[in-house]
Amino acid sequence: MGTGGLRERKKARTREAILREAFRLFRERGYGATTIEQIAEAAEISPATFFRYFPTKEDLATLDRFPPLMEALTAQPPGAPVAVLRGAFRTAFATLPAEEIAAGHAREVFAATVPELVTANLRRSPALVREIRETLADRAGCAPDDPRLRDVIGAVFGVVAMVWLQWAEDPALDGPAEVDRALAHLESGLPL
């Protein structure tokens, strides 16, 4: 493997170390009481290195973009919007190791329970929704401003959010499988 691959693996390890230590400190001390300097020290990096990975402390736990989902969405074949999004979620989860899914889920649960992070996520969500809407419109063969597309995205992410809340209460739940099952139910019209 070339030096580019080694460099990327080192960057990924550093990023994961920062996240792991930050969330350990957040659990121990609280989000507000944990400083960037403490996180950097625990991750055995300098504060300057921290800022190369995360511009602010809030960037550690905001859900502004889920790259595996966006990559999977872009790769989906054309089709009905719910089916396309379901396929994207399935593909995205399949690309992640189980420990990364667990770590990501823990960060998302945390982000949904710390008031400062809830606010930060609400501020950032329009950009993510816009990106999903534009990509999905291309796959579904409709205009990005089609209100039906808005409705589908709202329904899909509402279903996913409900699964995430259940997963937060029951960590033994197979979250990716439950997301897929719930989206299949939505895709079939939500019969009871």
Side-chain angles (χ1 to χ4, degrees):
M1 178 170 285
T3 59
L6 291 173
R7 191 172 323 131
E8 289 305 312
R9 282 201 320 269
K10 184 178 185 307
K11 287 169 90 173
R13 282 193 307 269
T14 300
R15 184 177 192 284
E16 283 306 310
I18 294 168
L19 288 166
R20 182 181 58 251
E21 293 304 322
F23 280 86
R24 181 183 62 78
L25 291 169
F26 293 162
R27 283 189 301 277
E28 290 174 5
R29 301 175 183 186
Y31 176 79
T34 302
T35 66
I36 289 170
E37 291 75 16
Q38 292 167 335
I39 296 167
E41 182 180 334
E44 299 179 354
I45 59 168
S46 69
T49 298
F50 174 93
F51 288 116
R52 283 198 296 269
Y53 288 85
F54 300 96
T56 69
K57 183 171 80 170
E58 130 185 321
D59 286 307
L60 290 163
T62 52
L63 313 174
D64 58 346
R65 197 160 187 281
F66 179 37
L69 178 64
M70 292 311 302
E71 291 166 11
L73 182 58
T74 302
Q76 292 299 302
V82 175
V84 170
L85 280 165
R86 180 180 175 213
F89 272 101
R90 188 183 303 128
T91 300
F93 281 125
T95 67
L96 298 171
E99 55 278 356
E100 198 171 326
I101 291 171
H105 174 254
R107 286 192 290 269
E108 290 171 11
V109 167
F110 193 83
T113 59
V114 174
E116 301 97 321
L117 298 176
V118 171
T119 301
N121 282 309
L122 288 174
R123 275 196 320 268
R124 292 172 184 216
S125 62
L128 175 61
V129 170
R130 188 176 321 105
E131 186 177 4
I132 290 169
R133 196 173 188 163
E134 289 168 0
T135 304
L136 189 58
D138 181 57
R139 299 297 170 280
C142 64
D145 62 349
D146 187 320
R148 296 172 301 168
L149 196 56
R150 173 207 58 213
D151 299 347
V152 166
I153 292 169
V156 166
F157 283 91
V159 166
V160 170
M162 294 304 293
V163 171
W164 242 255
L165 290 173
Q166 182 183 0
W167 195 6
E169 292 177 4
D170 179 8
L173 182 74
D174 182 344
E178 190 62 21
V179 165
D180 189 62
R181 189 207 59 73
L183 292 179
H185 184 222
L186 177 62
E187 192 175 5
S188 71
L190 299 174
L192 290 181

